[in-house]
Amino acid sequence: MKSNIIPMPLPPVSVVRDRLLEPSDITLHTGLHGLMECVLTSDDKVYHGVTAVLLFPISHPERFISLRYTNEEDKEHEIGIIGGLRTFPDEAVALVRASLARHYHEQCVHRVHRIKNEYGQLFFKVETQRGIEDFVMPWRQDRAEDYGTNGKVLLDALNNRYLIPDIDQLADKEKRLLLTYIYW
């Protein structure tokens, strides 16, 4: 079957490079209502209500972070991309991480108590940093993604993320239970 998808050309490398933000390019601080503000050092332009978005949330959670704002017409625009947080001052890193925490609701799974398969859905009872939680995940390969060398990110029916950083850190019984259903 022939695909109707037309591949989009990648932007020239110079365009992407111009959008990479270094610590010398911006100043981040807390603004009105506790929201992040960004000041471009090149022209002192101030962006209010800036949010951070991970471009590669699973493979690079500390790199390639897009800083965005919403204009007067309620359209979202990108200010630029932080290539990596390591080079930024601690205060800026804290602001970016706080913005990411508001945007992403990822739960870290410490224990797997139960998994039940019914009607093509996996019903989980797990222990996270918030305590015991139940969630439903469609039993499909696209709902579990690799995380690092031995972890998994499970995407529930509502696209909430449940992170298992290292499957080997689970108890043997829990690991066998998980791998019964998530074997890919």
Side-chain angles (χ1 to χ4, degrees):
M1 175 179 270
K2 202 172 190 182
S3 172
N4 292 333
I5 299 173
I6 300 170
M8 297 296 291
L10 294 173
V13 174
S14 61
V15 171
V16 174
R17 192 177 306 122
D18 289 344
R19 293 176 40 208
L20 285 178
L21 300 171
E22 297 295 331
S24 59
D25 299 330
I26 60 171
T27 302
L28 298 175
H29 60 272
T30 303
L32 191 61
H33 305 296
L35 297 175
M36 185 167 46
E37 288 189 353
C38 177
V39 180
L40 291 179
T41 54
S42 61
D43 60 3
D44 289 331
K45 182 168 174 116
V46 179
Y47 295 94
H48 304 280
V50 174
T51 58
V53 176
L54 295 171
L55 298 180
F56 302 100
I58 294 173
S59 58
H60 298 291
E62 292 282 314
R63 299 183 60 214
F64 307 113
I65 300 167
S66 173
L67 295 182
R68 300 173 182 203
Y69 73 99
T70 303
N71 68 9
E72 299 80 23
E73 289 86 36
D74 206 29
K75 295 203 187 244
E76 189 175 84
H77 295 278
E78 184 174 75
I79 299 166
I81 299 168
I82 293 175
L85 284 176
R86 291 183 189 160
T87 59
F88 280 80
D90 292 342
E91 181 183 334
V93 171
L95 288 170
V96 170
R97 285 192 174 138
S99 176
L100 290 171
R102 283 190 298 272
H103 189 81
Y104 296 94
H105 302 287
E106 181 174 87
Q107 304 306 312
C108 189
V109 175
H110 304 297
R111 302 212 37 220
V112 177
H113 295 288
R114 184 180 70 230
I115 304 174
K116 187 173 156 185
N117 180 9
E118 285 187 2
Y119 315 111
Q121 305 287 321
L122 296 177
F123 293 81
F124 283 81
K125 180 179 274 308
V126 297
E127 190 172 320
T128 71
Q129 72 272 21
R130 296 190 311 193
I132 302 291
E133 296 198 31
D134 295 303
F135 70 92
V136 179
M137 179 183 114
W139 191 22
R140 296 191 324 249
Q141 190 169 1
D142 67 332
R143 304 311 289 175
E145 300 175 4
D146 290 334
Y147 180 83
T149 57
N150 199 35
K152 290 287 184 187
V153 175
L154 307 177
L155 302 169
D156 76 0
L158 303 172
N159 284 329
N160 295 311
R161 297 160 39 102
Y162 290 84
L163 170 65
I164 304 171
D166 186 351
I167 292 173
D168 288 336
Q169 296 301 310
L170 296 172
D172 288 340
K173 180 181 175 184
E174 297 171 31
K175 181 178 174 181
R176 279 193 307 274
L177 177 61
L178 179 72
L179 293 177
T180 298
Y181 298 104
I182 312 295
Y183 46 80
W184 49 85

